Amino acid sequence: MSEQTGHTSSKRLTGKVAAVTGAAGGIGRAICERLAAEGARVVAVDLRAGDLEPVVAAVRALGSEAHAVAADVSVAADVARWVDEGVRRFGGIDLLVNNAGIEGVVKPLEEYPDDVFDRVLAVNVRGVFLGLKHVHPAMKARGGGAIVNLASVAGITGNGLISAYIASKHAVVGLTRAAATTYPAAGIRVNAVLPAPVETRMMRSLEEGFLPGQPAALKQMMASQIPLGRYAEPAEVAGIVAFLLSDEAGYVNGSLYTVDGGMTTF
Ligand SMILES: NC(=O)c1ccc[n+]([C@@H]2O[C@H](COP(=O)([O-])OP(=O)(O)OC[C@H]3O[C@@H](n4cnc5c(N)ncnc54)[C@H](O)[C@@H]3O)[C@@H](O)[C@H]2O)c1
């Protein structure tokens, strides 16, 4: 078993080229490592090239190759550029994980700043839309592919203190379902994963936002609302993403995979 990726299984993604947005973040890096460990070459996309250096090194240490591209997923020209670079470097793109996302701020809806709302929607919704749109021709040219969008339990539940994030993740669910109806014509499956809190920077930020100065108490409160009694590790999300991208999930399309320790069963 690999200590880095936490998995034991075979190289299901050998020969595939996988693009991951938000690759420098907690979940993005875990996904890059898992996909590389399963044999994929990785196009790693994030805002700053410097932040991607450790990810590229980790992928290489796992015996695969990575190409880092600095790009903003909310900007169409940037998305077109990373797709183009990935195709030129590795000959095509077979798999995409639309993972880049931001949390916005924690504020009652009636006080929520308009500009923050717009930015959260731009990154989390337009970013996923542009990824789906621009990768389609490249995947079609390869005869098909698979896409996983990072939604969240926030895509099927409500919380008036993070309204932009909630709205954005509901929209990611909508985009997943929309694409899943037409993309199979090009041999492309589209699914979403919906994690509960995951141990990354994003949760540290939200804990501080929900209970300023007492993040540990907030974390304990959140964990107590999850039947498994804890947050997810990034590798636990990455494992489901790898499964959905693999041929083992060949009949899975338009699905919403909760990775939430049972949180949404209440
Ligand atoms: N952490 C959680 O508890 C949790 C739970 C459910 C869903 N998610 C989702 O998982 C995804 C990854 O979250 P994370 O926890 O790893 O967060 P993170 O903050 O660790 O990573 C997010 C990454 O996205 C990048 N990014 C932000 N805006 C971008 C842009 N415009 N263009 C390109 N890259 C951009 C950031 O630079 C960062 O590297 C997000 O979509 C998030 O909403 C997270």
Side-chain angles (χ1 to χ4, degrees):
M1 167 136 107
S2 157
E3 215 171 279
Q4 222 165 353
T5 64
H7 92 109
T8 51
S9 68
S10 57
K11 298 220 167 203
R12 293 178 293 191
L13 305 176
T14 299
K16 303 286 187 191
V17 179
V20 180
T21 68
I27 296 172
R29 177 175 172 159
I31 292 170
C32 290
E33 291 178 359
R34 178 64 188 250
L35 302 187
E38 296 221 25
R41 287 174 292 167
V42 177
V43 181
V45 180
D46 211 299
L47 288 170
R48 286 169 295 275
D51 295 345
L52 289 164
E53 281 168 18
V55 185
V56 171
V59 166
R60 288 201 182 124
L62 287 159
S64 190
E65 287 177 79
H67 178 68
V69 191
D72 182 334
V73 297
S74 70
V75 176
D78 280 24
V79 178
R81 181 170 48 78
W82 78 245
V83 171
D84 193 47
E85 275 194 36
V87 169
R88 276 193 283 124
R89 171 71 192 266
F90 292 133
I93 293 172
D94 305 290
L95 311 171
L96 167 64
V97 186
N98 278 314
N99 166 75
I102 55 175
E103 68 275 22
V105 296
V106 180
K107 274 219 183 291
L109 193 154
E110 62 274 22
E111 294 168 21
Y112 205 91
D114 299 355
D115 59 335
V116 179
F117 184 89
D118 288 345
R119 185 65 190 150
V120 172
L121 273 283
V123 176
N124 296 7
V125 185
R126 192 185 327 128
V128 171
F129 163 71
L130 290 173
L132 287 164
K133 181 176 176 177
H134 286 270
V135 91
H136 186 277
M139 281 189 187
K140 192 175 176 191
R142 297 276 269 193
I147 300 174
V148 172
N149 298 325
L150 261 289
S152 163
V153 293
I156 52 169
T157 60
N159 185 325
L161 294 174
I162 47 170
S163 53
Y165 189 73
I166 295 279
S168 75
K169 293 303 183 180
H170 276 68
V172 172
V173 166
L175 281 170
T176 302
R177 287 178 159 152
T181 68
T182 55
Y183 274 40
I188 305 166
R189 295 180 297 103
V190 186
N191 291 289
V193 291
L194 283 61
V198 185
E199 296 285 3
T200 73
R201 179 214 64 81
M202 187 177 283
M203 278 315 300
R204 301 291 92 81
S205 156
L206 288 171
E207 286 157 359
E208 184 59 36
F210 280 119
L211 206 55
Q214 298 179 66
L218 193 280
K219 182 178 180 182
Q220 206 177 2
M221 212 183 302
M222 293 285 292
S224 73
Q225 290 164 15
I226 301 169
L228 286 183
R230 62 173 178 85
Y231 289 6
E233 292 298 329
E236 293 175 308
V237 178
I240 299 297
V241 171
F243 162 69
L244 288 169
L245 293 176
S246 78
D247 290 344
E248 286 188 69
Y251 199 64
V252 184
N253 178 51
S255 283
L256 311 178
Y257 260 70
T258 51
V259 187
D260 70 352
M263 189 181 189
T264 53
T265 56
F266 287 120

